[in-house]
Amino acid sequence: GIIAQSLIDSAVTRIIAVKLALGLFENPFVKPIKIDLKKHAEQAREMAVKSSVLLKNNGVLPLEKSGRIVVTGPFATLTDEHRGTWSLGKDLIESISILDAIKAAAPDSRVTYLNDLESQYPQIRKQSTIICVLGEPKAVCGEAKSLANIEVTRQQVELIKTLKRTGMKIVGVLCYGRPIVLSEIEPYLDAMLLPWHGGTFSSEAVASILFGDSEPLGRLPVTFPAAIGQIPIYYNAPKGAREIDGYYGEENTNTYNYVDCTGQPMYPFGYGLTYT
């Protein structure tokens, strides 16, 4: 008696109407569709390229395929993490690491993997470009996996600062599943590519973009704050005690959001660079 029968009848009628339109009463069972793994692989690779966002490039990218490259960082040799939090089952197609994808994309390059900074540090000085692969594990992303601190971890910040002392060009590959505060590492990086957790073929997409075989086509679907304290930050966020109009960098002293920080995001919604 809480809900009128007419309301239930109306809801059920809509469901039945859809089933009739689809012919599910005449043919309630359908034949399983054979999965075309090759087609799925091509689409996964294409989506990984098109969703990768180039955040910064001072001219170091794309890289030459015959240069000297150092690959380092905690996510350089990982595979499963690139599939992201919603890869609940085992992929029929195995993923490869970004290190292996770089070697495959540029077989004529001299690629050195740096896994022990203390003992291998002198080797970096002989190289032309450093690719540092940073990120966060898929276990801290997705449903019921919020983080209070979305800054780059202290260990990864210190790694970037140490690498910068070599004087070499540094390309940051950022494997994250959420917006991240990049303010502390951005000054030390000559280029920043954000492939997110790009799926089965994320590593191949990264290598393809780094060497210019593909164009980075992604644009940010979210705003990247310059500091944690700016959150919530989006173009039409409700105003608080202070004016918060300043998302697009309006120069007006009356719109200062904070005493110690700009009101602008680090990267606004829709941001993304290309090579052309």
Side-chain angles (χ1 to χ4, degrees):
I2 297 176
I3 300 175
Q5 183 175 332
S6 60
L7 183 61
I8 297 175
D9 289 343
S10 177
V12 173
T13 299
R14 288 196 296 269
I15 303 257
I16 293 175
V18 172
K19 291 187 175 184
L20 280 170
L22 295 175
L24 293 181
F25 288 105
E26 293 84 359
N27 300 289
F29 301 102
V30 296
K31 294 181 179 179
I33 300 173
K34 184 179 180 181
I35 296 176
D36 187 340
L37 286 180
K38 183 178 180 180
K39 182 178 180 181
H40 277 248
E42 292 171 354
Q43 292 176 338
R45 186 181 288 106
E46 179 183 5
M47 287 188 290
V49 169
K50 289 185 175 181
S51 61
S52 295
V53 185
L54 184 61
L55 297 175
K56 179 180 180 179
N57 185 21
N58 66 4
V60 67
L61 295 180
L63 300 171
E64 295 289 338
K65 289 190 175 182
S66 57
R68 302 165 70 92
I69 298 170
V70 163
V71 180
T72 188
F75 279 70
T77 58
L78 301 183
T79 56
D80 287 352
E81 297 298 338
H82 300 300
R83 297 176 188 164
T85 185
W86 288 107
S87 54
L88 303 180
K90 185 70 173 178
D91 274 11
L92 297 177
I93 301 174
E94 293 290 338
S95 297
I96 66 172
S97 69
I98 289 179
L99 172 63
D100 288 338
I102 288 172
K103 290 179 178 179
D108 295 329
S109 292
R110 181 175 175 181
V111 179
T112 301
Y113 171 54
L114 186 70
N115 62 353
D116 185 348
L117 193 59
E118 185 174 348
S119 64
Q120 296 177 283
Y121 189 84
Q123 298 182 34
I124 307 178
R125 302 177 184 276
K126 302 176 184 179
Q127 314 299 325
S128 60
T129 306
I130 299 172
I131 299 175
C132 187
V133 190
L134 308 179
E136 63 183 359
K138 62 183 182 180
V140 300
C141 300
E143 185 178 7
K145 300 291 183 180
S146 297
L147 291 179
N149 185 350
I150 59 169
E151 293 176 327
V152 177
T153 64
R154 180 51 44 193
Q155 295 91 334
Q156 295 187 26
V157 171
E158 293 305 319
L159 171 61
I160 292 294
K161 289 182 177 180
T162 301
L163 294 173
K164 189 64 178 179
R165 290 198 287 270
T166 65
M168 300 294 102
K169 298 288 186 181
I170 305 177
V171 176
V173 178
L174 313 173
C175 305
Y176 292 94
R178 60 162 51 80
I180 292 292
V181 175
L182 300 169
S183 304
E184 197 165 3
I185 65 171
E186 186 275 336
Y188 300 97
L189 298 174
D190 298 280
M192 295 194 300
L193 178 65
L194 176 70
W196 308 92
H197 291 163
T200 309
F201 288 94
S202 184
S203 295
E204 288 91 336
V206 167
S208 179
I209 292 171
L210 291 179
F211 292 106
D213 293 326
S214 299
E215 180 90 2
L217 299 174
R219 302 294 180 267
L220 291 182
V222 288
T223 298
F224 272 49
I228 297 176
Q230 291 179 316
I231 299 171
I233 179 170
Y234 48 96
Y235 79 97
N236 65 343
K239 297 180 180 180
R242 286 175 175 267
E243 293 288 329
I244 63 170
D245 296 334
Y247 184 91
Y248 296 109
E250 297 87 342
E251 295 182 4
N252 187 330
T253 56
N254 293 325
T255 63
Y256 285 157
N257 305 15
Y258 310 94
V259 175
D260 60 345
C261 180
T262 176
Q264 290 180 263
M266 186 164 188
Y267 298 108
F269 172 89
Y271 180 87
L273 306 175
T274 63
Y275 292 150
T276 55

